[in-house]
Amino acid sequence: QLQLLESGGGSVQAGGSLRLSCAASGRASSNLAMAWFRQIPGNERTLVAAISLRGGSPFYADSVKGRFTISRDIRKNAVYLQMNNLKPEDTAVYTCAAKLSGHNEYTHWAQGSQVTVSS
Protein backbone atom coordinates (compact mmCIF):
# COMPACT_ATOMS: atom_id res chain seq x y z
CA GLN A 1 0.00 0.00 0.00
CA LEU A 2 1.29 3.45 -0.93
CA GLN A 3 1.93 5.80 1.97
CA LEU A 4 2.98 9.43 2.08
CA LEU A 5 4.80 10.87 5.07
CA GLU A 6 5.02 14.63 5.27
CA SER A 7 7.31 16.78 7.39
CA GLY A 8 8.14 20.42 7.78
CA GLY A 9 5.84 23.35 8.21
CA GLY A 10 5.58 25.58 11.23
CA SER A 11 5.38 29.29 11.95
CA VAL A 12 7.36 32.09 10.36
CA GLN A 13 7.17 35.83 9.96
CA ALA A 14 6.26 37.39 6.65
CA GLY A 15 9.21 37.33 4.28
CA GLY A 16 10.58 34.16 5.81
CA SER A 17 11.05 30.70 4.34
CA LEU A 18 9.93 27.17 5.09
CA ARG A 19 10.48 23.82 3.44
CA LEU A 20 8.03 20.95 3.28
CA SER A 21 9.08 17.39 2.55
CA CYS A 22 7.05 14.36 1.55
CA ALA A 23 8.34 10.81 1.19
CA ALA A 24 6.47 8.04 -0.57
CA SER A 25 6.83 4.41 0.38
CA GLY A 26 5.23 1.14 -0.55
CA ARG A 27 3.60 -0.04 -3.73
CA ALA A 28 4.17 2.06 -6.88
CA SER A 29 6.16 4.66 -4.96
CA SER A 30 8.60 4.98 -7.85
CA ASN A 31 5.93 5.72 -10.49
CA LEU A 32 4.22 8.81 -9.13
CA ALA A 33 3.39 12.34 -10.11
CA MET A 34 3.26 14.45 -6.98
CA ALA A 35 1.85 17.75 -5.84
CA TRP A 36 1.25 20.10 -2.96
CA PHE A 37 -2.20 21.38 -2.09
CA ARG A 38 -3.26 23.84 0.59
CA GLN A 39 -6.48 24.54 2.41
CA ILE A 40 -7.64 27.45 4.52
CA PRO A 41 -10.44 26.64 6.97
CA GLY A 42 -13.78 27.17 5.29
CA ASN A 43 -12.27 27.12 1.82
CA GLU A 44 -11.73 24.41 -0.73
CA ARG A 45 -8.39 22.71 -1.08
CA THR A 46 -6.39 24.25 -3.94
CA LEU A 47 -3.43 23.05 -5.94
CA VAL A 48 -0.24 24.95 -5.16
CA ALA A 49 2.39 23.13 -7.20
CA ALA A 50 2.77 19.87 -9.08
CA ILE A 51 5.60 17.90 -10.62
CA SER A 52 5.60 14.97 -13.01
CA LEU A 53 7.46 11.70 -12.62
CA ARG A 54 10.36 13.04 -14.67
CA GLY A 55 10.26 16.47 -13.07
CA GLY A 56 9.84 18.53 -16.23
CA SER A 57 7.73 21.72 -16.45
CA PRO A 58 6.39 21.96 -12.89
CA PHE A 59 3.03 23.64 -12.38
CA TYR A 60 2.57 26.55 -9.99
CA ALA A 61 -0.51 28.42 -8.92
CA ASP A 62 -0.29 32.09 -9.90
CA SER A 63 -0.30 33.13 -6.26
CA VAL A 64 3.01 31.35 -5.54
CA LYS A 65 4.92 31.74 -8.79
CA GLY A 66 8.39 33.12 -8.21
CA ARG A 67 8.24 32.34 -4.47
CA PHE A 68 7.69 28.58 -4.20
CA THR A 69 9.72 25.82 -5.80
CA ILE A 70 8.67 22.19 -6.09
CA SER A 71 11.36 19.58 -6.58
CA ARG A 72 11.77 15.86 -6.23
CA ASP A 73 14.39 13.24 -5.48
CA ILE A 74 13.58 10.16 -7.53
CA ARG A 75 16.01 7.96 -5.59
CA LYS A 76 14.30 8.82 -2.32
CA ASN A 77 10.75 8.87 -3.77
CA ALA A 78 10.44 12.30 -2.18
CA VAL A 79 9.04 15.68 -3.15
CA TYR A 80 9.79 19.03 -1.59
CA LEU A 81 8.21 22.46 -1.50
CA GLN A 82 10.57 25.33 -0.81
CA MET A 83 8.55 28.37 0.19
CA ASN A 84 10.30 31.73 0.14
CA ASN A 85 9.07 35.26 0.78
CA LEU A 86 6.08 33.89 2.63
CA LYS A 87 3.03 36.08 3.07
CA PRO A 88 0.25 35.96 5.68
CA GLU A 89 -2.14 34.79 2.95
CA ASP A 90 -0.01 31.67 2.55
CA THR A 91 -1.22 30.52 5.96
CA ALA A 92 -2.95 27.17 5.45
CA VAL A 93 -2.69 23.43 5.92
CA TYR A 94 -0.38 22.10 3.22
CA THR A 95 -0.81 18.52 2.05
CA CYS A 96 1.31 16.37 -0.19
CA ALA A 97 -0.54 14.27 -2.77
CA ALA A 98 0.39 11.60 -5.27
CA LYS A 99 -1.08 9.87 -8.29
CA LEU A 100 0.16 7.21 -10.60
CA SER A 101 2.04 8.81 -13.50
CA GLY A 102 -0.32 9.42 -16.41
CA HIS A 103 -3.47 9.29 -14.29
CA ASN A 104 -5.77 12.28 -13.79
CA GLU A 105 -6.68 12.24 -10.13
CA TYR A 106 -4.59 12.39 -7.00
CA THR A 107 -5.46 9.32 -5.01
CA HIS A 108 -3.09 9.36 -2.07
CA TRP A 109 -2.68 12.06 0.52
CA ALA A 110 -0.32 12.78 3.38
CA GLN A 111 -1.46 13.94 6.79
CA GLY A 112 -1.01 17.67 6.17
CA SER A 113 1.15 20.31 7.83
CA GLN A 114 0.15 23.67 9.24
CA VAL A 115 2.01 26.66 7.85
CA THR A 116 1.40 29.92 9.67
CA VAL A 117 2.80 33.22 8.44
CA SER A 118 2.50 36.21 10.73
CA SER A 119 2.69 39.82 9.62
Side-chain angles (χ1 to χ4, degrees), residues 25-46:
S25 62
R27 185 178 181 182
S29 60
S30 61
N31 187 31
L32 301 172
M34 303 185 76
W36 291 95
F37 288 76
R38 69 184 181 187
Q39 185 171 24
I40 302 170
N43 289 20
E44 291 186 355
R45 184 164 53 194
T46 59

Side-chain angles (χ1 to χ4, degrees), residues 10-77:
S11 298
V12 67
Q13 289 191 325
S17 298
L18 286 172
R19 188 189 195 215
L20 300 176
S21 300
C22 178
S25 62
R27 185 178 181 182
S29 60
S30 61
N31 187 31
L32 301 172
M34 303 185 76
W36 291 95
F37 288 76
R38 69 184 181 187
Q39 185 171 24
I40 302 170
N43 289 20
E44 291 186 355
R45 184 164 53 194
T46 59
L47 178 62
V48 175
I51 191 166
S52 65
L53 175 63
R54 293 176 177 80
S57 301
F59 166 85
Y60 295 99
D62 288 343
S63 58
V64 306
K65 282 181 180 177
R67 301 187 298 121
F68 291 13
T69 302
I70 188 170
S71 61
R72 69 184 302 165
D73 186 331
I74 294 297
R75 294 174 301 172
K76 297 181 179 179
N77 293 329

